[in-house]
Amino acid sequence: MLKLHHVPGARSCRVIWLLEELGGIDYVLETHRLGDPQLRAPEYRRLNPAGKVPTLEDGDVAFFESGAIVQYLLERHGRGRLEPAIDSPARGPFLQWMHWSEASLMPPLGQINAHKFVLREADRIPRALELARRQFAKVLAQLGDALAGRDYLVEDRFTAADLMAGYGIVLARLVGELPPGPPALHAWFERLAARPAFERAFRGGFGIA
Ligand SMILES: N[C@@H](CCC(=O)N[C@@H](CS)C(=O)NCC(=O)O)C(=O)O
């Protein structure tokens, strides 16, 4: 039985979203809240030294990084669903958007959150917030350009790359940082949000202790 360490609204939602899309996989959630001392405890730090979520436990194996967990679950349980075949020309772009979602889309959003909400007020730097917003606008434009004239990021069908990037848009919207355009990005996001598995992944709200 898989066990997923989860905080409502956190990147662990990517994993729940995938599990629910795939269906038929037994898993349990261990639900925490951000700022929970449980996440700082040595038992949890042995699984995830940063004390973050998600962490996946699969039998004796435990590991973290939402993108790695998504890739692992596709390999173990996907049976070819929600990703292009290894020899498909869409494979490279698929991996690109999978990794871009965490490596390029999330960092400026993390900086925005830090300087808007998370850091103590004395540590928040208006200039850092402004620079992060500028950087976020650039990566959002990349996503908007990629979606112009298409319904999904690769292969004209929903894949795990949409799910990885879609989480960033959920967060941007939550913190009031999603601009009104471009239309292709918003239309794509509405397609994602209409999926039943999306609703199941985010129904727990956002877990700030
Ligand atoms: N790159 C990691 C980032 C994990 C991460 O930052 N998780 C956040 C929630 S979305 C967290 O646990 N924050 C708690 C903390 O920093 O104490 C991933 O994709 O899994």
Side-chain angles (χ1 to χ4, degrees):
M1 170 84 81
L2 298 171
K3 185 201 271 190
L4 177 68
H5 292 268
H6 169 58
V7 166
R11 285 166 174 86
S12 43
C13 292
R14 282 175 170 152
V15 182
I16 302 178
W17 186 358
L18 179 73
L19 287 163
E20 293 293 329
E21 292 280 355
L22 294 174
I25 304 169
D26 283 339
Y27 69 95
V28 289
L29 292 181
E30 184 153 338
T31 302
H32 310 272
R33 297 185 80 75
L34 287 184
D36 217 336
Q38 234 179 348
L39 294 176
R40 306 275 170 264
E43 301 78 55
Y44 188 71
R45 293 283 182 146
R46 269 194 286 279
L47 308 178
N48 185 332
K52 296 189 175 197
V53 294
T55 300
L56 185 73
E57 293 187 61
D58 185 0
D60 291 339
V61 179
F63 64 102
F64 49 93
E65 282 300 330
S66 57
I69 297 171
V70 163
Q71 211 166 336
Y72 175 89
L73 291 173
L74 287 174
E75 287 166 5
R76 294 261 165 148
H77 302 280
R79 300 192 309 276
R81 292 170 294 166
L82 302 185
E83 62 178 333
I86 297 285
D87 57 358
S88 159
R91 186 72 188 175
F94 166 76
L95 292 173
Q96 167 204 290
W97 288 116
M98 287 278 290
H99 291 274
W100 177 90
S101 299
E102 191 57 22
S104 297
L105 179 64
M106 296 306 287
L109 202 45
Q111 284 301 299
I112 290 173
N113 278 342
H115 290 282
K116 199 170 167 181
F117 303 117
V118 179
L119 293 171
R120 291 180 313 157
E121 266 188 54
D123 293 331
R124 295 180 198 169
I125 305 167
R127 179 82 182 129
L129 178 59
E130 187 191 318
L131 290 175
R133 282 189 169 134
R134 217 184 287 169
Q135 187 57 33
F136 188 56
K138 283 187 193 161
V139 288
L140 267 191
Q142 291 165 22
L143 186 58
D145 288 350
L147 288 165
R150 54 194 313 156
D151 286 350
Y152 297 102
L153 284 169
V154 295
E155 277 197 335
D156 288 327
R157 67 179 172 117
F158 175 79
T159 68
D162 298 294
L163 171 162
M164 285 294 293
Y167 173 75
I169 304 306
V170 171
L171 193 61
R173 204 176 53 160
L174 176 78
V175 299
E177 294 288 337
L178 189 63
L185 188 146
H186 281 267
W188 164 80
F189 183 68
E190 277 167 30
R191 272 189 288 283
L192 302 191
R195 302 180 70 85
F198 176 98
E199 194 277 319
R200 283 181 225 130
F202 291 100
R203 70 164 55 130
F206 286 78
I208 297 161

